[in-house]
Amino acid sequence: MTTATDWEARVLEAVERSQDELLALAGLLIRTPSENPPGDCTEIADVIAGHLRGAGIGAELHDAGQGRVSVLAHRGESADGERHLVFAGHHDVVPVGDESRWSFPPLAGDVVDGWLRGRGASDMKAGLAGLIHVFVLFERLGVPLRGRLSLASVPDEETGGRLGADWLLDQGVLDGATGGIIAEPAERDHPTIGQKGSNWFRLTIHGRPGHGSLQPVHGTSANLLGARAILALQRLWDMTPDAPEEVRELIADSKRFAVQREGYAPEVADVFEHVTINVGTVRGGTSTNVVADTCVIEFDTRVPIGLTRAQVRARVEEILAEEGIEAEIEPLGFMSEPNWTVPTDPVVETLVGALRELSAPDAQGVLQWASSDARTFRSHGIPVLQYGPADLQTIHGFDERALASDVVLAAKVYALSALRYLGVRD
């Protein structure tokens, strides 16, 4: 009889033995264009579905329109009391930008000096390839998983669009899932199990135009009012969150690890307990010699655990009123409340345990300050955590890359986590 321990050994050996196949798949995904914007992911969805079908796995294409195509596959069924695990990731990537500033082709998809290179190597085609490869290995080896394993590869994550994970989960195709692993980039030994809320908004401020030579005694400059609003709204940082007791230790741990895992200055740890305010764009006025009649400012604020988007919005209105500034406030872009999965959830304990065994005895889940599809899964009642191979400093930048050895490690972590979370049938 093949025991659960035997299956773990067999699967880990298979990942090790097939690592060239894994890296080739990652390279293929990188070489398949899927920049967002514009966001058309028809081609890469076809590539992923074709790879699965070539392995004898039924792959479903779910088209939300505008080229936003998701790929879904399943193994097994969940009986009463059995678990349903989702392997999840997004196949869209940010634009490559100025190609002349890359030291290698942006869609290289090759491995040089131990590094997998190209747009999406870290965020997150290498991690996605790991999930797909493990899913295929389970089928190839005939692993008798207990419960159900699903694979969901989605578009539209990079722009916070509604036609990716949000749309797919709204179709009910993953109802009943008990846990999920998202292959988003993470520090090698610290999966992310929670994130701040995202609260983007646009301010539109109106002034009274006039001849520029008469400022400041004639006309009301919307640009000056906008500048005052920008400075005043920095006071959002001073809001005090009241985090639930269950996550206070997690916040403290995340602050300690922030500098270590990201390489930023020590003060970056403070972002976990404050509202951050980024002035993204400022557009105002019609001509140099005309008093600006309109100023439009777009802000990216992130909400810590212990506050809500509504509380931040109320404080924005309060600050503007204090300054005597009338403005239209319009939500836009990424919108989510702070969200997390508790460290004691079985899917977290299982993956962290596998990572401790395979890589680092002190591995631990931490918070992130960015947003991702994890918010969507949690809003649908599916506890998830994020773990994927990455060179964090190159994400969304030039010369994006990931260590090939970390790609293989991540695949082993996914395999061991699925085996232990779901179990195997006798």
Side-chain angles (χ1 to χ4, degrees), residues 236-265:
L236 292 173
W237 176 271
D238 299 327
M239 296 184 72
T240 303
D242 183 19
E245 185 67 37
E246 68 176 7
V247 291
R248 289 180 183 174
E249 183 177 352
L250 174 61
I251 293 171
D253 290 341
S254 299
K255 292 177 69 174
R256 283 196 299 273
F257 286 122
V259 178
Q260 171 189 325
R261 78 176 194 267
E262 301 278 2
Y264 292 106

Short mmCIF file of all heavy atoms in Angstrom, two decimals, residues 236-265:
data_model
loop_
_atom_site.label_atom_id
_atom_site.label_comp_id
_atom_site.label_asym_id
_atom_site.label_seq_id
_atom_site.Cartn_x
_atom_site.Cartn_y
_atom_site.Cartn_z
N LEU A 236 -4.11 62.32 6.93
CA LEU A 236 -4.70 60.98 7.01
C LEU A 236 -3.76 60.01 7.71
O LEU A 236 -4.19 59.05 8.35
CB LEU A 236 -5.03 60.46 5.60
CG LEU A 236 -6.16 61.17 4.85
CD1 LEU A 236 -6.23 60.65 3.41
CD2 LEU A 236 -7.49 60.98 5.55
N TRP A 237 -2.46 60.25 7.57
CA TRP A 237 -1.45 59.40 8.22
C TRP A 237 -1.66 59.32 9.73
O TRP A 237 -1.33 58.32 10.37
CB TRP A 237 -0.06 59.94 7.90
CG TRP A 237 1.08 59.23 8.56
CD1 TRP A 237 1.64 59.52 9.79
CD2 TRP A 237 1.82 58.11 8.06
NE1 TRP A 237 2.68 58.67 10.07
CE2 TRP A 237 2.81 57.78 9.02
CE3 TRP A 237 1.75 57.35 6.89
CZ2 TRP A 237 3.72 56.73 8.84
CZ3 TRP A 237 2.65 56.31 6.70
CH2 TRP A 237 3.62 56.01 7.68
N ASP A 238 -2.25 60.36 10.31
CA ASP A 238 -2.38 60.44 11.76
C ASP A 238 -3.59 59.67 12.30
O ASP A 238 -3.78 59.61 13.52
CB ASP A 238 -2.50 61.90 12.20
CG ASP A 238 -1.25 62.71 11.82
OD1 ASP A 238 -0.15 62.13 11.83
OD2 ASP A 238 -1.40 63.91 11.50
N MET A 239 -4.40 59.09 11.43
CA MET A 239 -5.54 58.29 11.91
C MET A 239 -5.03 57.10 12.70
O MET A 239 -3.99 56.51 12.38
CB MET A 239 -6.39 57.82 10.72
CG MET A 239 -7.05 58.94 9.94
SD MET A 239 -8.14 58.32 8.61
CE MET A 239 -9.52 57.67 9.58
N THR A 240 -5.78 56.74 13.75
CA THR A 240 -5.35 55.66 14.65
C THR A 240 -6.23 54.43 14.45
O THR A 240 -7.43 54.46 14.74
CB THR A 240 -5.44 56.11 16.11
OG1 THR A 240 -4.64 57.29 16.29
CG2 THR A 240 -4.95 55.00 17.04
N PRO A 241 -5.67 53.32 13.95
CA PRO A 241 -6.47 52.10 13.76
C PRO A 241 -6.66 51.35 15.07
O PRO A 241 -5.87 51.49 16.01
CB PRO A 241 -5.62 51.28 12.78
CG PRO A 241 -4.21 51.70 13.08
CD PRO A 241 -4.29 53.17 13.47
N ASP A 242 -7.70 50.56 15.13
CA ASP A 242 -7.96 49.70 16.28
C ASP A 242 -8.07 48.27 15.76
O ASP A 242 -9.16 47.78 15.47
CB ASP A 242 -9.25 50.13 16.99
CG ASP A 242 -9.52 49.30 18.24
OD1 ASP A 242 -8.57 48.67 18.75
OD2 ASP A 242 -10.69 49.27 18.69
N ALA A 243 -6.94 47.60 15.63
CA ALA A 243 -6.90 46.27 15.04
C ALA A 243 -7.47 45.22 15.98
O ALA A 243 -7.31 45.31 17.20
CB ALA A 243 -5.46 45.91 14.68
N PRO A 244 -8.17 44.21 15.45
CA PRO A 244 -8.68 43.12 16.29
C PRO A 244 -7.54 42.42 17.01
O PRO A 244 -6.40 42.33 16.51
CB PRO A 244 -9.35 42.18 15.29
CG PRO A 244 -9.64 43.02 14.10
CD PRO A 244 -8.54 44.04 14.04
N GLU A 245 -7.82 41.90 18.17
CA GLU A 245 -6.82 41.24 18.99
C GLU A 245 -6.15 40.09 18.23
O GLU A 245 -4.94 39.86 18.36
CB GLU A 245 -7.46 40.71 20.27
CG GLU A 245 -6.48 40.08 21.26
CD GLU A 245 -5.52 41.10 21.85
OE1 GLU A 245 -5.95 42.24 22.10
OE2 GLU A 245 -4.34 40.73 22.06
N GLU A 246 -6.91 39.38 17.40
CA GLU A 246 -6.40 38.19 16.73
C GLU A 246 -5.27 38.47 15.74
O GLU A 246 -4.54 37.56 15.36
CB GLU A 246 -7.53 37.45 15.99
CG GLU A 246 -8.08 38.20 14.80
CD GLU A 246 -9.13 37.41 14.03
OE1 GLU A 246 -9.53 36.33 14.50
OE2 GLU A 246 -9.54 37.87 12.96
N VAL A 247 -5.13 39.75 15.32
CA VAL A 247 -4.09 40.05 14.33
C VAL A 247 -3.00 41.00 14.86
O VAL A 247 -2.11 41.37 14.11
CB VAL A 247 -4.70 40.64 13.04
CG1 VAL A 247 -5.49 39.60 12.29
CG2 VAL A 247 -5.53 41.87 13.33
N ARG A 248 -3.08 41.38 16.12
CA ARG A 248 -2.09 42.34 16.63
C ARG A 248 -0.68 41.75 16.65
O ARG A 248 0.30 42.43 16.33
CB ARG A 248 -2.51 42.82 18.02
CG ARG A 248 -3.72 43.73 17.97
CD ARG A 248 -4.17 44.23 19.32
NE ARG A 248 -5.39 45.04 19.20
CZ ARG A 248 -6.07 45.52 20.21
NH1 ARG A 248 -5.66 45.29 21.45
NH2 ARG A 248 -7.17 46.23 20.00
N GLU A 249 -0.58 40.49 17.00
CA GLU A 249 0.74 39.86 16.98
C GLU A 249 1.25 39.74 15.54
O GLU A 249 2.44 39.94 15.28
CB GLU A 249 0.68 38.48 17.63
CG GLU A 249 2.05 37.79 17.72
CD GLU A 249 1.98 36.45 18.45
OE1 GLU A 249 0.92 36.11 19.01
OE2 GLU A 249 3.00 35.74 18.44
N LEU A 250 0.36 39.45 14.61
CA LEU A 250 0.73 39.36 13.20
C LEU A 250 1.24 40.71 12.70
O LEU A 250 2.24 40.77 11.96
CB LEU A 250 -0.49 38.92 12.38
CG LEU A 250 -0.33 38.92 10.86
CD1 LEU A 250 0.77 37.98 10.42
CD2 LEU A 250 -1.67 38.55 10.20
N ILE A 251 0.59 41.79 13.10
CA ILE A 251 1.04 43.13 12.70
C ILE A 251 2.43 43.40 13.25
O ILE A 251 3.32 43.89 12.54
CB ILE A 251 0.04 44.19 13.17
CG1 ILE A 251 -1.29 44.05 12.42
CG2 ILE A 251 0.61 45.60 12.97
CD1 ILE A 251 -2.41 44.91 12.97
N ALA A 252 2.64 43.08 14.53
CA ALA A 252 3.95 43.30 15.15
C ALA A 252 5.03 42.49 14.44
O ALA A 252 6.13 42.99 14.16
CB ALA A 252 3.89 42.94 16.63
N ASP A 253 4.74 41.23 14.13
CA ASP A 253 5.71 40.39 13.42
C ASP A 253 6.01 40.96 12.04
O ASP A 253 7.16 40.97 11.59
CB ASP A 253 5.18 38.96 13.28
CG ASP A 253 5.15 38.21 14.60
OD1 ASP A 253 5.85 38.64 15.55
OD2 ASP A 253 4.43 37.20 14.70
N SER A 254 4.97 41.42 11.36
CA SER A 254 5.13 41.96 10.01
C SER A 254 6.01 43.21 10.02
O SER A 254 6.83 43.42 9.11
CB SER A 254 3.77 42.28 9.39
OG SER A 254 2.98 41.11 9.29
N LYS A 255 5.85 44.03 11.05
CA LYS A 255 6.70 45.23 11.16
C LYS A 255 8.16 44.85 11.34
O LYS A 255 9.05 45.47 10.76
CB LYS A 255 6.22 46.09 12.33
CG LYS A 255 4.85 46.74 12.10
CD LYS A 255 4.38 47.53 13.31
CE LYS A 255 5.23 48.76 13.53
NZ LYS A 255 4.68 49.60 14.61
N ARG A 256 8.40 43.80 12.12
CA ARG A 256 9.78 43.38 12.34
C ARG A 256 10.41 42.83 11.07
O ARG A 256 11.59 43.06 10.79
CB ARG A 256 9.85 42.30 13.44
CG ARG A 256 9.71 42.84 14.85
CD ARG A 256 10.17 41.81 15.87
NE ARG A 256 9.38 40.59 15.82
CZ ARG A 256 8.24 40.40 16.50
NH1 ARG A 256 7.78 41.39 17.26
NH2 ARG A 256 7.57 39.27 16.41
N PHE A 257 9.61 42.12 10.28
CA PHE A 257 10.16 41.48 9.09
C PHE A 257 10.20 42.41 7.88
O PHE A 257 10.86 42.09 6.89
CB PHE A 257 9.33 40.24 8.74
CG PHE A 257 9.57 39.08 9.65
CD1 PHE A 257 8.52 38.51 10.35
CD2 PHE A 257 10.84 38.55 9.81
CE1 PHE A 257 8.73 37.42 11.20
CE2 PHE A 257 11.06 37.47 10.66
CZ PHE A 257 10.00 36.91 11.36
N ALA A 258 9.50 43.55 7.92
CA ALA A 258 9.35 44.39 6.74
C ALA A 258 10.68 44.80 6.14
O ALA A 258 10.91 44.64 4.94
CB ALA A 258 8.52 45.62 7.08
N VAL A 259 11.55 45.33 6.96
CA VAL A 259 12.83 45.81 6.45
C VAL A 259 13.69 44.64 5.98
O VAL A 259 14.32 44.68 4.93
CB VAL A 259 13.56 46.62 7.53
CG1 VAL A 259 14.93 47.07 7.02
CG2 VAL A 259 12.72 47.81 7.94
N GLN A 260 13.65 43.56 6.75
CA GLN A 260 14.46 42.39 6.42
C GLN A 260 14.06 41.79 5.06
O GLN A 260 14.91 41.47 4.24
CB GLN A 260 14.29 41.33 7.50
CG GLN A 260 14.90 39.97 7.17
CD GLN A 260 14.51 38.92 8.19
OE1 GLN A 260 14.37 39.20 9.37
NE2 GLN A 260 14.31 37.69 7.73
N ARG A 261 12.77 41.68 4.82
CA ARG A 261 12.35 40.97 3.62
C ARG A 261 12.27 41.85 2.39
O ARG A 261 12.36 41.38 1.27
CB ARG A 261 11.01 40.28 3.86
CG ARG A 261 9.78 41.14 3.80
CD ARG A 261 8.53 40.27 3.95
NE ARG A 261 7.32 40.97 3.58
CZ ARG A 261 6.55 41.63 4.42
NH1 ARG A 261 6.89 41.70 5.69
NH2 ARG A 261 5.46 42.23 4.00
N GLU A 262 12.09 43.17 2.58
CA GLU A 262 11.94 44.05 1.43
C GLU A 262 13.17 44.93 1.18
O GLU A 262 13.33 45.47 0.10
CB GLU A 262 10.71 44.95 1.62
CG GLU A 262 9.41 44.19 1.79
CD GLU A 262 8.81 43.76 0.46
OE1 GLU A 262 9.43 44.03 -0.57
OE2 GLU A 262 7.73 43.15 0.47
N GLY A 263 14.01 45.10 2.19
CA GLY A 263 15.21 45.89 2.01
C GLY A 263 14.99 47.39 2.05
O GLY A 263 15.83 48.16 1.57
N TYR A 264 13.88 47.83 2.64
CA TYR A 264 13.60 49.25 2.74
C TYR A 264 14.17 49.82 4.04
O TYR A 264 14.68 49.09 4.89
CB TYR A 264 12.09 49.51 2.69
CG TYR A 264 11.45 49.21 1.35
CD1 TYR A 264 10.66 48.08 1.18
CD2 TYR A 264 11.64 50.05 0.27
CE1 TYR A 264 10.06 47.80 -0.04
CE2 TYR A 264 11.05 49.78 -0.96
CZ TYR A 264 10.26 48.66 -1.10
OH TYR A 264 9.68 48.39 -2.31
N ALA A 265 14.07 51.15 4.20
CA ALA A 265 14.52 51.81 5.42
C ALA A 265 13.62 51.38 6.59
O ALA A 265 12.46 50.99 6.39
CB ALA A 265 14.48 53.32 5.25
#
